[in-house]
Amino acid sequence: RPVNNLVDAAQKIADGDLSARVSEDQYREDEVGFLSQSFNRMTERLERQTGALIATNHQLGERRIFIETVLESVSAGVISVDHTRVIQLANSTADKMLKGKLDTIVGQNFHSVAPALAELAQNQPRGVVQLGDGPEPLTVAVKVSPREQGSVVTFEDISQQLADQKRAAWSDVARRIAHEIKNPLTPIQLA
């Protein structure tokens, strides 16, 4: 009977019930009793370790959801490229800025999706590059963060910023020209 109880408990463990134990009244001072005690210690450790694994897995899932939410809320494009230069992950901003005629950029070769961006990412840790060749190409500021199996590339559209800087520069030039024209006109007007 003690061996049958041990076999029943082992079957429950095999079926996934890690709380199964051999009842203590079955402990004896012989090999079967020692085997029963060892079995119970083993199942207790298995139950603790499985619980810890499940908790860790849940925590990793929560972190993944958090990271995905953060990545989707940033205005910068973020992509992860593996060591073979294939895009592994991309947030929706990056997908929107780079996909062109493709359904998605994930799984595509980085160089074929954005050659100028891939070239800069391969050679420099940061820089500015122009994407597209239409009437309004995007100018993006790029930062590359190397990692063990590839790199993470972040890029943000700075086209509007550059346009604002150009307008401010032209406004300054116009102000200076107006000043230079007014300087000789004032004495002439007084005379």
Side-chain angles (χ1 to χ4, degrees):
R1 190 172 58 187
V3 172
N4 283 337
N5 288 339
L6 190 58
V7 168
D8 290 341
Q11 186 59 47
K12 287 178 184 174
I13 295 290
D15 291 340
D17 179 12
L18 296 178
S19 64
R21 305 285 186 273
V22 177
S23 60
E24 289 188 28
D25 63 334
Q26 299 300 318
Y27 288 155
R28 299 166 22 164
E29 296 297 326
D30 60 2
E31 293 83 10
V32 173
F34 179 74
L35 182 61
S36 297
Q37 290 174 349
S38 297
F39 179 83
N40 284 343
R41 280 195 305 272
M42 177 192 70
T43 56
E44 285 172 18
R45 273 197 307 256
L46 275 174
E47 189 172 26
R48 277 195 313 270
Q49 289 173 348
T50 303
L53 282 173
I54 289 171
T56 301
N57 196 23
H58 177 71
Q59 190 178 31
L60 286 173
E62 291 294 319
R63 284 183 183 172
R64 182 187 55 79
I65 291 169
F66 174 75
I67 290 170
E68 286 176 0
T69 303
V70 168
L71 282 176
E72 288 303 315
S73 67
V74 296
S75 62
V78 181
I79 58 176
S80 173
V81 181
D82 68 8
H83 66 284
T84 62
R85 311 305 292 160
V86 172
I87 299 172
Q88 297 298 308
L89 296 169
N91 69 348
S92 59
T93 305
D95 209 39
K96 200 181 317 173
M97 290 169 90
L98 299 177
K99 75 177 176 182
K101 295 180 176 102
L102 302 168
D103 290 334
T104 183
I105 62 172
V106 175
Q108 303 294 321
N109 182 286
F110 188 31
H111 197 274
S112 66
V113 170
L117 191 60
E119 185 71 30
L120 182 123
Q122 196 167 9
N123 298 322
Q124 299 174 4
R126 59 182 60 228
V128 175
V129 71
Q130 207 165 31
L131 299 177
D133 52 354
E136 293 182 31
L138 291 177
T139 303
V140 294
V142 183
K143 182 171 187 282
V144 181
S145 302
R147 58 185 182 96
E148 198 171 305
Q149 294 293 321
S151 58
V152 174
V153 181
T154 57
F155 51 96
E156 189 162 9
D157 183 6
I158 59 169
S159 303
Q160 187 61 44
Q161 227 177 331
L162 292 176
D164 292 344
Q165 286 175 352
K166 268 187 194 175
R167 276 193 288 279
W170 278 112
S171 173
D172 188 48
V173 167
R175 184 183 55 77
R176 287 175 190 237
I177 290 174
H179 178 73
E180 293 299 323
I181 291 174
K182 282 169 78 177
N183 269 351
L185 287 180
T186 303
I188 293 172
Q189 188 179 19
L190 289 173

